[in-house]
Amino acid sequence: MKRSTIYSRKGSVNTKKRGYDITRNPHLNKGMAFTLEERLQLGIHGLLPPCFLSQDVQVLRVMKSYETRSNPLDKTETRSSLYRLLTSDTEKFMPIVYTPTVGLACQQYGLVCSSPIHDRGHIATMLNSWPEDNLRYLHYTLKPAIVVTDGERILGLGDLGSYGWEFQWGSWALVHGLWWSSATATLLDDPLYIGLKHKRIRGKEYDDLIDEFMQAVTDKYGMNCLIQFEDFANSNAFRILNKYRNRYCTFNDDIQGTASVAVAGILAALKITKNRLLDHKFVFQGAGEAALGIAHLLIMAMAKEGVTKEEAAKRIWMVDSKGLIVKGRSHLNHEKEEFAHEHPHVKTLEEVVSTIKPTAIIGVAAIGGAFTEKIIKNMASFNERPIIFALSNPTSKAECTAEQCYTLTEFIITSFWKQRLRLPGVALGVIACGVRHISDDLFLTTAEAIADMVTEEHLAEGRLYPPLNTIREVSFKIAVKVVNHAYKHSIASVYPEPKDKEAFVLSQTYSPDYDSFTLDTYGWPQEAMNVQGV
C-alpha cells in the first residue's frame, strides 16, 4: 500500500493507516475537515458526514455545545476538544480543565471511570501497552515526557488515590500515570472507588515500585525522557526528589514548579514596592512541599542580591499546624529545621503576623479563610504595600479572596494561581536541548522570565502575571530562556548548539492546528480519483 504523507511545519509524517483506522487515530483524524480528495485516498469517504467543515467551524460547534452546559462538571465532557479551544481563549477554559472544577472532578471520578490498574511488577508491560512510542508533553513538544502521581496529596483535598487521575488531566500533563490505592477510609469503603481496596503500601515495597517505574520509563523512552512527579505527600516528595534528581531528568512540580510561579509573582510585586527582596520579611502559612519549595527559591533569589543563604533564611518564617516553627520545638524534620529561628513559641497565624510584622504573607496550607480580616488589616497597618499571596487550591481552600483584600484595605497586592503559566515552557526548554538533570537554577530562571514579562500596563490592571491568554507566548519565551541557560552552563546535551535559539525552540513546538495531507495518486485506480472531478 502506498504511504500517504502528512506535512506540517515540523516536516512530514508517513502513515500506512487507511479507512476506519484513520478515524480512530486522534493524531490523524480531522473529522469533517478532511477534503474530498483526502477522504477518497485515505479510504474514509462514506465514514464521515458528507459536509466539509474547517477547523474553525468545528471549534465553533464545540463552543456551542460547551455553552449549553450550565454545570461546570458537565462542561468537562467537552475536554477532548479543549486543546484547540484553550489556545483561543485560555482564561475562559482554564477554570474547567484546572481549578476550581478539577477538584470536584477528582472527588467524583468514580462515577466516570471503570479501569483500575495493578501496577507492581508490570510497569514495563503497562508502558508497552500504550499505543504511542513518542509521548507529547502538554501538546507543546513532540519529545518524550511523562507525569506520575500516587494521588496521595491532590490539591488541598488530601489523599484521593486513583481519583487523582482527573487532576493530572486537568494539568494538561498526563501521558501515563501510576494508580495506587488510597489510605482514606471513606474512599476504601466507597463501592465506586476505582483503586485497589487496601491501604497504601509503604516502606521498601513502595520504594521498589518507584524504582521499577523509573527504570521501565527510561528503558522504553530513554534517559532524556522528562519525568514529572506530581501530588506526592510530603513524606515521600522530598525523599523521592533527592533520590532521583541527579540520576534522571526529573523534577517535582509541587516543590519546584509551584515555587517558580510564586517567586515570579513576588519579583513582579517588587516593581510596585520599588525595593529588593532583601527588604522583605516573609511569613508562610504552611510548611509543606509548596512552602519549602518557594522558600528555597526565595533564598536563591536573595543570594543573588549579595547575602549568604543563612542570612536569607532568617527573613523567612513558617507556621504549621502547631504554630510558628522556632528553634527548640520538638519533632521538626530536616526540611523545617532550616527555617526554625530563635523566638518564643507563637501558636496562631494572627499572633505571628502581629509579632513578626512581615511585609508578605504566603498561604499554601489549604486552610480556607486563614487570612482573616484582622490579619489583612494588620498587614495594611504596618505596610504601605503589603504582599498577600493566597495560593491554596482548590478555590474553597484559598486563604482569602481578592475581593476581601480590596474591601478591607486600599493598598494591597494579591496573587492567585497562575501556575499553568510556567509548565509548558520549562518542559519544552528542558526537552528541546536535552537537559539530563534539572537544577533549581532553571526554576529561578523561569521565575525571572515570567516576572520580566509583567509590564507596567499589567501592573496597572492589578496583574502580577501575564494574562493566561498569552500562555503560548509566555511558554515560548520561558523555553528560550531555559535553553539559553542550559547552553551557557553546559547542561545541554543537544549539539551542535543552535545559533538561533528562538527558531530552534519553535521547531520543537506542537501546533493544535490540523496538518495538511499531501496526497500521492500513485497506485490508485483512476476511476476513484475521477469522482466529483478529483
Side-chain angles (χ1 to χ4, degrees):
M1 182 184 299
K2 182 67 177 178
R3 289 178 181 262
S4 295
T5 303
I6 308 169
Y7 288 97
S8 70
R9 66 179 177 178
K10 297 176 285 293
S12 62
V13 178
N14 293 319
T15 180
K16 289 184 177 181
K17 295 183 183 297
R18 290 191 71 249
Y20 186 68
D21 288 342
I22 292 286
T23 66
R24 299 295 294 173
N25 189 314
H27 302 307
L28 301 177
N29 187 15
K30 301 193 293 184
M32 287 179 281
F34 284 109
T35 66
L36 176 60
E37 182 179 2
E38 289 172 338
R39 297 181 190 203
L40 289 169
Q41 263 208 16
L42 295 171
I44 58 175
H45 190 51
L47 299 182
L48 301 169
C51 68
F52 304 95
L53 299 179
S54 68
Q55 189 177 20
D56 288 339
V57 175
Q58 288 177 321
V59 167
L60 180 62
R61 292 183 67 202
V62 176
M63 181 79 77
K64 286 187 174 295
S65 174
Y66 174 91
E67 290 175 347
T68 63
R69 303 165 190 251
S70 58
N71 187 317
L73 196 57
D74 291 340
K75 291 184 177 184
T76 64
E77 294 180 11
T78 63
R79 67 187 187 183
S80 61
S81 305
L82 279 177
Y83 287 119
R84 181 62 174 81
L85 294 179
L86 277 166
T87 62
S88 62
D89 195 342
T90 306
E91 289 202 70
K92 178 174 183 176
F93 294 104
M94 185 65 78
I96 298 301
V97 299
Y98 192 54
T99 187
T101 306
V102 71
L104 179 61
C106 285
Q107 292 172 308
Q108 299 191 16
Y109 194 57
L111 301 177
V112 296
C113 183
S114 59
S115 57
I117 299 172
H118 296 255
D119 297 321
R120 193 173 52 190
H122 305 289
I123 301 298
T125 301
M126 186 179 75
L127 293 177
N128 287 329
S129 297
W130 185 254
E132 296 289 340
D133 287 332
N134 296 314
L135 305 182
R136 296 180 178 185
Y137 187 90
L138 299 176
H139 285 243
Y140 277 77
T141 176
L142 300 177
K143 294 189 177 181
I146 199 164
V147 175
V148 58
T149 183
D150 69 356
E152 192 169 357
R153 194 205 63 82
I154 302 295
L155 300 174
L157 301 173
D159 188 348
L160 296 184
S162 294
Y163 288 3
W165 178 274
E166 182 74 11
F167 177 69
Q168 308 314 310
W169 192 97
S171 301
W172 305 355
L174 186 64
V175 184
H176 291 297
L178 289 185
W179 293 20
W180 281 292
S181 65
S182 171
T184 304
T186 54
L187 286 183
L188 295 182
D189 293 337
D190 183 354
L192 297 178
Y193 180 60
I194 63 174
L196 304 180
K197 299 286 185 172
H198 63 72
K199 291 184 178 180
R200 285 182 173 274
I201 60 173
R202 302 291 185 188
K204 185 178 184 301
E205 196 174 10
Y206 179 93
D207 291 346
D208 288 346
L209 178 59
I210 301 292
D211 281 338
E212 179 190 349
F213 170 78
M214 300 298 284
Q215 188 64 53
V217 167
T218 50
D219 283 348
K220 182 172 178 65
Y221 299 113
M223 292 302 294
N224 277 0
C225 177
L226 172 61
I227 302 172
Q228 174 183 320
F229 284 88
E230 183 93 35
D231 296 318
F232 283 71
N234 290 351
S235 58
N236 289 315
F238 289 100
R239 188 173 59 83
I240 290 174
L241 176 62
N242 292 330
K243 180 177 181 179
Y244 295 118
R245 67 187 305 165
N246 294 320
R247 294 166 53 189
Y248 297 93
C249 179
T250 186
F251 73 95
N252 183 292
D253 182 48
D254 305 296
I255 299 172
Q256 299 162 288
T258 295
S260 67
V261 174
V263 172
I266 293 168
L267 294 177
L270 298 183
K271 298 180 180 182
I272 298 176
T273 59
K274 307 297 183 183
N275 53 17
R276 304 180 303 161
L277 280 176
L278 292 178
D279 297 318
H280 288 270
K281 189 186 300 182
F282 301 89
V283 165
F284 284 81
Q285 169 65 22
E289 297 165 51
L292 291 166
I294 297 168
H296 283 123
L297 206 61
L298 279 174
I299 288 174
M300 289 182 62
M302 284 189 275
K304 291 181 70 172
E305 292 186 354
V307 299
T308 65
K309 291 185 176 181
E310 291 73 21
E311 285 296 316
K314 292 179 181 179
R315 291 167 168 80
I316 297 172
W317 299 76
M318 291 193 176
V319 179
D320 63 10
S321 60
K322 297 179 181 179
L324 185 65
I325 295 176
V326 295
K327 285 189 179 297
R329 212 185 82 177
S330 59
H331 307 299
L332 289 178
N333 60 30
H334 172 71
E335 286 79 21
K336 292 182 180 181
E337 282 180 349
E338 183 177 359
F339 301 99
H341 309 308
E342 293 286 356
H343 195 279
H345 177 66
V346 181
K347 191 170 183 179
T348 70
L349 180 62
E350 283 189 358
E351 292 176 288
V352 171
V353 171
S354 296
T355 303
I356 302 298
K357 291 183 170 50
T359 60
I361 53 174
I362 301 172
V364 282
I367 301 175
F371 293 170
T372 63
E373 178 177 341
K374 182 177 180 180
I375 288 175
I376 295 172
K377 286 185 173 180
N378 275 344
M379 287 293 294
S381 71
F382 44 76
N383 290 295
E384 182 182 0
R385 288 287 194 271
I387 300 175
I388 299 179
F389 278 25
L391 303 182
S392 292
N393 269 326
T395 307
S396 61
K397 301 288 186 178
E399 289 75 15
C400 66
T401 67
E403 182 180 3
Q404 288 170 325
C405 286
Y406 287 118
T407 300
L408 294 172
T409 178
E410 183 178 354
F411 301 107
I412 201 81
I413 299 172
T414 60
S415 174
F416 299 85
W417 268 136
K418 299 292 183 184
Q419 172 153 292
R420 299 302 132 188
L421 279 171
R422 102 273 159 187
L423 274 176
V426 174
L428 176 57
V430 164
I431 295 171
C433 63
V435 173
R436 296 285 174 81
H437 307 298
I438 304 174
S439 67
D440 289 334
D441 288 344
L442 285 179
F443 292 98
L444 183 54
T445 295
T446 298
E448 293 169 344
I450 295 173
D452 286 344
M453 285 180 260
V454 178
T455 65
E456 291 298 326
E457 182 180 354
H458 294 149
L459 295 174
E461 295 172 350
R463 298 179 184 271
L464 292 183
Y465 297 97
L468 276 176
N469 277 338
T470 64
I471 188 170
R472 289 184 69 84
E473 178 186 355
V474 170
S475 300
F476 174 75
K477 290 180 178 179
I478 290 172
V480 173
K481 290 277 190 179
V482 169
V483 169
N484 278 317
H485 178 95
Y487 282 106
K488 179 180 179 180
H489 296 277
S490 301
I491 58 175
S493 64
V494 174
Y495 284 93
E497 178 180 346
K499 294 181 179 179
D500 188 337
K501 303 294 194 303
E502 291 190 359
F504 172 68
V505 171
L506 186 62
S507 72
Q508 307 293 314
T509 59
Y510 170 85
S511 171
D513 296 328
Y514 288 143
D515 291 310
S516 297
F517 284 68
T518 301
L519 303 172
D520 190 333
T521 61
Y522 174 79
W524 288 85
Q526 185 60 46
E527 57 270 22
M529 303 311 298
N530 287 335
V531 177
Q532 297 189 27
V534 176

